[in-house]
Short mmCIF file of all heavy atoms in Angstrom, two decimals:
data_model
loop_
_atom_site.label_atom_id
_atom_site.label_comp_id
_atom_site.label_asym_id
_atom_site.label_seq_id
_atom_site.Cartn_x
_atom_site.Cartn_y
_atom_site.Cartn_z
N LEU A 99 -11.39 14.14 -45.70
CA LEU A 99 -11.55 13.50 -44.40
C LEU A 99 -10.21 12.93 -43.94
O LEU A 99 -10.04 12.61 -42.77
CB LEU A 99 -12.57 12.36 -44.49
CG LEU A 99 -13.98 12.73 -44.94
CD1 LEU A 99 -14.87 11.49 -44.98
CD2 LEU A 99 -14.58 13.79 -44.06
N TYR A 100 -9.26 12.84 -44.87
CA TYR A 100 -7.91 12.36 -44.56
C TYR A 100 -6.90 13.42 -44.96
O TYR A 100 -6.96 13.96 -46.06
CB TYR A 100 -7.60 11.06 -45.31
CG TYR A 100 -8.30 9.87 -44.74
CD1 TYR A 100 -9.64 9.63 -45.02
CD2 TYR A 100 -7.64 8.99 -43.90
CE1 TYR A 100 -10.30 8.55 -44.48
CE2 TYR A 100 -8.29 7.89 -43.35
CZ TYR A 100 -9.62 7.68 -43.64
OH TYR A 100 -10.27 6.62 -43.09
N TYR A 101 -5.95 13.68 -44.08
CA TYR A 101 -4.84 14.58 -44.35
C TYR A 101 -3.77 13.79 -45.09
O TYR A 101 -3.50 12.63 -44.76
CB TYR A 101 -4.27 15.12 -43.03
CG TYR A 101 -3.01 15.93 -43.19
CD1 TYR A 101 -3.09 17.28 -43.49
CD2 TYR A 101 -1.76 15.35 -43.04
CE1 TYR A 101 -1.94 18.04 -43.64
CE2 TYR A 101 -0.61 16.10 -43.18
CZ TYR A 101 -0.70 17.45 -43.48
OH TYR A 101 0.44 18.19 -43.63
N ILE A 102 -3.16 14.39 -46.11
CA ILE A 102 -2.09 13.74 -46.85
C ILE A 102 -0.78 14.45 -46.53
O ILE A 102 -0.65 15.65 -46.77
CB ILE A 102 -2.33 13.78 -48.38
CG1 ILE A 102 -3.67 13.16 -48.74
CG2 ILE A 102 -1.18 13.11 -49.12
CD1 ILE A 102 -3.80 11.71 -48.43
N ASP A 103 0.18 13.71 -45.99
CA ASP A 103 1.52 14.25 -45.78
C ASP A 103 2.19 14.24 -47.14
O ASP A 103 2.47 13.17 -47.69
CB ASP A 103 2.28 13.37 -44.78
CG ASP A 103 3.66 13.90 -44.49
OD1 ASP A 103 4.28 14.53 -45.38
OD2 ASP A 103 4.14 13.68 -43.36
N ARG A 104 2.43 15.39 -47.72
CA ARG A 104 2.96 15.50 -49.08
C ARG A 104 4.38 14.95 -49.22
O ARG A 104 4.80 14.59 -50.30
CB ARG A 104 2.92 16.95 -49.57
CG ARG A 104 1.52 17.52 -49.61
CD ARG A 104 0.74 16.97 -50.78
NE ARG A 104 -0.64 17.37 -50.64
CZ ARG A 104 -1.65 16.62 -50.99
NH1 ARG A 104 -1.46 15.45 -51.52
NH2 ARG A 104 -2.88 17.03 -50.83
N LYS A 105 5.12 14.86 -48.12
CA LYS A 105 6.49 14.34 -48.19
C LYS A 105 6.52 12.81 -48.20
O LYS A 105 7.30 12.21 -48.92
CB LYS A 105 7.31 14.87 -47.02
CG LYS A 105 7.54 16.36 -47.09
CD LYS A 105 8.29 16.87 -45.90
CE LYS A 105 8.37 18.38 -45.99
NZ LYS A 105 8.72 18.99 -44.73
N THR A 106 5.66 12.20 -47.40
CA THR A 106 5.67 10.74 -47.27
C THR A 106 4.48 10.07 -47.96
O THR A 106 4.45 8.86 -48.09
CB THR A 106 5.64 10.32 -45.79
OG1 THR A 106 4.39 10.74 -45.22
CG2 THR A 106 6.80 10.93 -45.03
N LEU A 107 3.48 10.86 -48.34
CA LEU A 107 2.21 10.40 -48.91
C LEU A 107 1.39 9.58 -47.91
O LEU A 107 0.46 8.88 -48.30
CB LEU A 107 2.41 9.64 -50.22
CG LEU A 107 3.06 10.45 -51.34
CD1 LEU A 107 3.19 9.60 -52.60
CD2 LEU A 107 2.27 11.72 -51.63
N ARG A 108 1.73 9.69 -46.65
CA ARG A 108 0.97 9.00 -45.61
C ARG A 108 -0.40 9.66 -45.47
O ARG A 108 -0.53 10.87 -45.47
CB ARG A 108 1.73 9.10 -44.28
CG ARG A 108 1.05 8.38 -43.16
CD ARG A 108 1.96 8.34 -41.93
NE ARG A 108 1.17 7.91 -40.80
CZ ARG A 108 1.11 8.56 -39.66
NH1 ARG A 108 1.83 9.64 -39.47
NH2 ARG A 108 0.36 8.12 -38.69
N ARG A 109 -1.45 8.84 -45.37
CA ARG A 109 -2.82 9.32 -45.18
C ARG A 109 -3.16 9.22 -43.71
O ARG A 109 -3.10 8.15 -43.12
CB ARG A 109 -3.79 8.48 -46.01
CG ARG A 109 -3.56 8.59 -47.49
CD ARG A 109 -4.43 7.60 -48.24
NE ARG A 109 -3.86 7.25 -49.51
CZ ARG A 109 -3.10 6.19 -49.74
NH1 ARG A 109 -2.83 5.35 -48.78
NH2 ARG A 109 -2.61 5.95 -50.93
N ILE A 110 -3.56 10.35 -43.13
CA ILE A 110 -3.87 10.39 -41.70
C ILE A 110 -5.34 10.79 -41.54
O ILE A 110 -5.75 11.85 -41.99
CB ILE A 110 -2.97 11.42 -40.99
CG1 ILE A 110 -1.49 11.11 -41.26
CG2 ILE A 110 -3.26 11.44 -39.49
CD1 ILE A 110 -0.55 12.23 -40.86
N PRO A 111 -6.14 9.94 -40.89
CA PRO A 111 -7.56 10.28 -40.73
C PRO A 111 -7.74 11.50 -39.82
O PRO A 111 -7.09 11.62 -38.79
CB PRO A 111 -8.17 9.03 -40.10
CG PRO A 111 -7.04 8.25 -39.55
CD PRO A 111 -5.80 8.66 -40.28
N LYS A 112 -8.61 12.38 -40.24
CA LYS A 112 -8.96 13.55 -39.42
C LYS A 112 -10.12 13.17 -38.50
O LYS A 112 -10.73 12.10 -38.64
CB LYS A 112 -9.39 14.71 -40.32
CG LYS A 112 -8.30 15.21 -41.25
CD LYS A 112 -8.84 16.32 -42.14
CE LYS A 112 -7.85 16.76 -43.18
NZ LYS A 112 -8.41 17.79 -44.06
N LEU A 113 -10.44 14.05 -37.59
CA LEU A 113 -11.58 13.85 -36.70
C LEU A 113 -12.84 13.57 -37.52
O LEU A 113 -13.65 12.71 -37.17
CB LEU A 113 -11.78 15.09 -35.83
CG LEU A 113 -13.00 15.09 -34.92
CD1 LEU A 113 -12.83 14.05 -33.81
CD2 LEU A 113 -13.20 16.47 -34.33
N SER A 114 -13.01 14.28 -38.64
CA SER A 114 -14.20 14.10 -39.47
C SER A 114 -14.30 12.69 -40.05
O SER A 114 -15.40 12.17 -40.21
CB SER A 114 -14.24 15.14 -40.60
OG SER A 114 -13.06 15.07 -41.38
N ALA A 115 -13.18 12.05 -40.35
CA ALA A 115 -13.20 10.68 -40.86
C ALA A 115 -13.73 9.74 -39.78
O ALA A 115 -14.54 8.85 -40.05
CB ALA A 115 -11.81 10.24 -41.31
N LYS A 116 -13.27 9.94 -38.56
CA LYS A 116 -13.74 9.11 -37.46
C LYS A 116 -15.23 9.37 -37.18
O LYS A 116 -16.01 8.44 -36.97
CB LYS A 116 -12.91 9.36 -36.21
CG LYS A 116 -11.48 8.84 -36.35
CD LYS A 116 -10.64 9.26 -35.17
CE LYS A 116 -9.23 8.75 -35.17
NZ LYS A 116 -8.57 8.53 -36.41
N TRP A 117 -15.62 10.64 -37.21
CA TRP A 117 -17.03 10.97 -36.98
C TRP A 117 -17.91 10.36 -38.07
O TRP A 117 -18.96 9.78 -37.78
CB TRP A 117 -17.25 12.48 -36.92
CG TRP A 117 -18.70 12.81 -36.78
CD1 TRP A 117 -19.41 12.85 -35.62
CD2 TRP A 117 -19.64 13.06 -37.83
NE1 TRP A 117 -20.73 13.11 -35.89
CE2 TRP A 117 -20.90 13.24 -37.24
CE3 TRP A 117 -19.52 13.14 -39.22
CZ2 TRP A 117 -22.03 13.52 -37.99
CZ3 TRP A 117 -20.66 13.41 -39.96
CH2 TRP A 117 -21.90 13.60 -39.34
N TYR A 118 -17.51 10.49 -39.33
CA TYR A 118 -18.33 9.99 -40.43
C TYR A 118 -18.43 8.47 -40.38
O TYR A 118 -19.49 7.90 -40.64
CB TYR A 118 -17.76 10.46 -41.77
CG TYR A 118 -18.73 10.34 -42.91
CD1 TYR A 118 -19.99 10.93 -42.85
CD2 TYR A 118 -18.39 9.65 -44.07
CE1 TYR A 118 -20.89 10.81 -43.90
CE2 TYR A 118 -19.28 9.55 -45.13
CZ TYR A 118 -20.53 10.12 -45.04
OH TYR A 118 -21.42 10.01 -46.09
N THR A 119 -17.35 7.81 -40.02
CA THR A 119 -17.40 6.35 -39.84
C THR A 119 -18.40 5.98 -38.76
O THR A 119 -19.22 5.08 -38.94
CB THR A 119 -16.00 5.80 -39.47
OG1 THR A 119 -15.11 6.09 -40.55
CG2 THR A 119 -16.04 4.31 -39.21
N ASP A 120 -18.36 6.70 -37.64
CA ASP A 120 -19.33 6.45 -36.56
C ASP A 120 -20.75 6.71 -37.03
O ASP A 120 -21.67 5.96 -36.72
CB ASP A 120 -19.03 7.34 -35.35
CG ASP A 120 -17.80 6.89 -34.59
OD1 ASP A 120 -17.29 5.78 -34.85
OD2 ASP A 120 -17.34 7.65 -33.72
N PHE A 121 -20.93 7.78 -37.79
CA PHE A 121 -22.27 8.11 -38.30
C PHE A 121 -22.78 6.98 -39.21
O PHE A 121 -23.92 6.52 -39.06
CB PHE A 121 -22.22 9.42 -39.08
CG PHE A 121 -23.51 9.74 -39.78
CD1 PHE A 121 -24.57 10.29 -39.07
CD2 PHE A 121 -23.67 9.48 -41.13
CE1 PHE A 121 -25.78 10.57 -39.71
CE2 PHE A 121 -24.86 9.77 -41.77
CZ PHE A 121 -25.92 10.31 -41.06
#
Side-chain angles (χ1 to χ4, degrees):
L99 301 179
Y100 286 79
Y101 173 85
I102 304 296
D103 182 329
R104 299 285 170 216
K105 293 177 185 163
T106 65
L107 298 181
R108 182 171 168 233
R109 296 173 206 95
I110 305 167
K112 297 178 186 177
L113 175 69
S114 56
K116 291 173 178 30
W117 176 84
Y118 197 54
T119 298
D120 287 348
F121 173 80

